[in-house]
């Protein structure tokens, strides 16, 4: 994503989260990543020590792994910060 589009996306997301959620709140992240223990560990490390519940499931052929991560966060800025941290993991798709 281009930086301008990314900034617009996060601004819109923050606005929606402020309107539709009372904070602090649980937030569910969903990511798809190529099945690679190192990449999966990178994402898990980002949520380490946050009390996050992480569930993973491999695709039928085992090429991809979906990660569902539920974590209690204090505000939309924390949600966006985690998305940006995960975005550096090669091949990750945020849903």
């Amino acid at each position: 994503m281009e930086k301008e589009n990314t900034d617009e996306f996060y601004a819109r997301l923050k606005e929606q989260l402020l309107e539709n959620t009372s904070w602090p709140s649980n937030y569910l992240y969903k990511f798809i990543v190529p099945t690679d223990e190192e990449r999966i560990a990178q994402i898990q490390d980002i949520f380490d020590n946050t009390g996050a519940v992480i569930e993973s499931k491999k695709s039928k052929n085992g090429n991809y792994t979906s990660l569902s991560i539920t974590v209690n966060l204090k505000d939309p800025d924390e949600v966006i910060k985690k998305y940006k941290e995960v975005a550096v993991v090669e091949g990750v798709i945020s849903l």
Side-chain angles (χ1 to χ4, degrees):
M1 229 187 278
E2 292 176 26
K3 180 161 176 32
E4 189 174 308
N5 290 343
T6 304
D7 291 345
E8 286 177 24
F9 169 79
Y10 287 128
R12 247 189 346 269
L13 175 62
K14 181 176 180 176
E15 192 176 298
Q16 290 172 344
L17 290 171
L18 284 169
E19 287 175 8
N20 300 318
T21 309
S22 56
W23 296 95
S25 182
N26 283 337
Y27 188 81
L28 174 63
Y29 292 92
K30 288 190 172 271
F31 303 110
I32 296 175
V33 65
T35 300
D36 172 352
E37 293 306 317
E38 194 174 303
R39 293 180 199 184
I40 293 167
Q42 264 185 285
I43 294 171
Q44 290 172 333
D45 288 347
I46 290 168
F47 290 92
D48 199 21
N49 298 319
T50 62
V53 176
I54 301 174
E55 297 175 24
S56 63
K57 182 179 176 186
K58 286 187 179 175
S59 64
K60 187 171 120 181
N61 296 328
N63 296 330
Y64 294 92
T65 299
S66 70
L67 296 171
S68 297
I69 302 169
T70 304
V71 63
N72 191 282
L73 299 171
K74 67 177 182 177
D75 60 34
D77 291 327
E78 280 195 339
V79 171
I80 291 166
K81 180 180 175 220
K82 291 295 183 193
Y83 271 122
K84 289 179 177 180
E85 288 177 35
V86 171
V88 302
V89 176
E90 187 180 337
V92 71
I93 300 169
S94 298
L95 302 177

